[in-house]
Amino acid sequence: MPWAVCKLKFVWPELPYSEWKDTLDTLHMNLQIVGKVRLALTPFEPQWANVPLYLTARGLTTTPIESAGGIFQVDVDLIDHEVLIETSQGETRRVALTARPVADFYADFMSNLDGLGIHAKFRPIPDEVSDPIPFAEDTTHSAYDPEWANRFFQVLSQADLVLKEHRSHFRGRTSPVHFFWGSFDLANTRYSGRPVTPPPGVGYLERLGGDAEVACAGFWPGSARYPRAAFYAYTYPKPGGIEKEAAGWSSELGEFALPYDDVRTSASPRAAILKFFESTYHAGARLGGWDPSLVIK
């Protein structure tokens, strides 16, 4: 019997921030709730490596987590628009992703966790956003358009593949490609291998996450402060004069940015993204004195 051939067509769809910002904000809050469960029930890892979610063929996942002597996983399905809680004992609970207040989603999701004997204690307030509203009180964010949520996922799924290719060129320590639910971006981080002492007076997040030299690359859908999707890159600590060493420096963000619309309309989006990631990495690595042999040529 002949093998079936699956032909995948990669299309980078439009993703204008202004058109889906309300859905984005609601999805952001819902994913923070899911992500905080992973944070609460996994051991801390340097640079908050236990925090992110990961891409799947249908959305995002926590990966397996231990709780109450068992194992469970939370998957966010952005095709059928539901959150699945599945256990190693074969139990499954479903929570709808639909147009309703974050407070309702929070109550529904936590009730289903409790029903499975999974008890995650965490600060029930969103992180890394301005004017955070406690989840249980958030009736402000309630928009959810499935088409826009799925379109965001389609962009993420393709950005994930390009970031994995970028990651494969590095010999040193590097993070997986993962999705940070706080800052709401897909990222890969390269490490020079040298420690950093965080500046005095920084907050808890920065103190635990900013103790190593890194070069980070990723994708971000935008925010009210920067209302457009973009690929980004930065080196930490920021080398002096780096903004003059590669194309795309954004004074608004304080890092390099490549607008998503420029990518999706280019002759080869993949090539444009990889060129941006590699050129900005080399600028920071050169100025920061990173070992050139860390990159596979």
Side-chain angles (χ1 to χ4, degrees):
M1 183 173 65
W3 291 96
V5 177
C6 179
K7 294 183 178 179
L8 299 178
K9 184 178 181 181
F10 294 107
V11 177
W12 297 82
E14 294 182 12
L15 194 67
Y17 173 81
S18 61
E19 295 295 319
W20 82 290
K21 62 184 180 64
D22 293 338
T23 291
L24 187 161
D25 289 343
T26 302
L27 182 61
H28 189 180
M29 295 302 98
N30 290 346
L31 288 180
Q32 289 227 7
I33 294 164
V34 172
K36 279 176 176 274
V37 171
R38 187 175 197 271
L39 172 61
L41 297 177
T42 55
F44 174 77
E45 297 179 38
Q47 284 77 50
W48 298 102
N50 62 309
V51 167
L53 304 175
Y54 297 86
L55 264 289
T56 71
R58 300 186 66 88
L60 294 156
T61 183
T62 61
T63 72
I65 301 170
E66 180 184 3
S67 177
I71 297 171
F72 77 99
Q73 177 171 303
V74 182
D75 289 340
V76 180
D77 186 330
L78 294 175
I79 295 177
D80 285 341
H81 304 283
E82 60 182 2
V83 174
L84 288 81
I85 310 166
E86 299 178 295
T87 74
S88 56
Q89 287 75 40
E91 298 172 287
T92 301
R93 299 290 180 92
R94 287 178 164 82
V95 181
L97 283 173
T98 188
R100 58 172 170 168
V102 168
D104 291 356
F105 173 85
Y106 176 67
D108 193 358
F109 178 70
M110 298 306 291
S111 175
N112 276 281
L113 282 180
D114 289 342
L116 293 169
I118 301 167
H119 306 296
K121 295 182 179 179
F122 54 82
R123 181 173 175 266
I125 300 173
D127 294 319
E128 300 183 71
V129 296
S130 58
D131 302 318
I133 305 170
F135 300 128
E137 302 171 15
D138 188 351
T139 58
T140 298
H141 301 108
S142 61
Y144 188 86
D145 185 324
E147 181 178 345
W148 283 113
N150 179 260
R151 189 178 294 197
F152 172 57
F153 165 62
Q154 296 302 324
V155 177
L156 280 186
S157 64
Q158 294 182 82
D160 178 67
L161 296 178
V162 181
L163 278 162
K164 284 173 178 171
E165 185 173 353
H166 171 67
R167 180 180 186 270
S168 72
H169 299 163
F170 197 67
R171 298 179 188 273
R173 177 191 167 201
T174 177
S175 76
V177 178
H178 46 205
F179 184 81
F180 281 102
W181 43 264
S183 49
F184 215 64
D185 61 306
L186 187 70
N188 167 247
T189 301
R190 295 173 169 184
Y191 295 84
S192 73
R194 296 190 295 250
V196 169
T197 300
V202 297
Y204 183 67
L205 290 176
E206 295 86 353
R207 189 166 65 253
L208 294 184
D211 60 356
E213 281 189 347
V214 302
C216 187
F219 170 78
W220 184 54
S223 70
R225 182 170 68 92
Y226 188 88
R228 51 197 176 276
F231 293 89
Y232 69 85
Y234 65 83
T235 303
Y236 169 85
K238 176 181 174 291
I242 191 174
E243 57 270 23
K244 301 177 183 178
E245 295 295 314
W249 182 260
S250 168
S251 57
E252 294 173 83
L253 296 176
E255 59 192 41
F256 292 102
L258 176 63
Y260 173 68
D261 281 340
D262 291 354
V263 168
R264 62 173 297 274
T265 56
S266 67
S268 173
R270 169 188 161 277
I273 298 165
L274 288 174
K275 180 180 179 181
F276 171 72
F277 286 161
E278 294 299 334
S279 65
T280 53
Y281 166 78
H282 284 295
R286 184 173 61 253
L287 291 175
W290 287 40
D291 182 352
S293 69
L294 288 172
V295 176
I296 299 172
K297 297 182 180 179

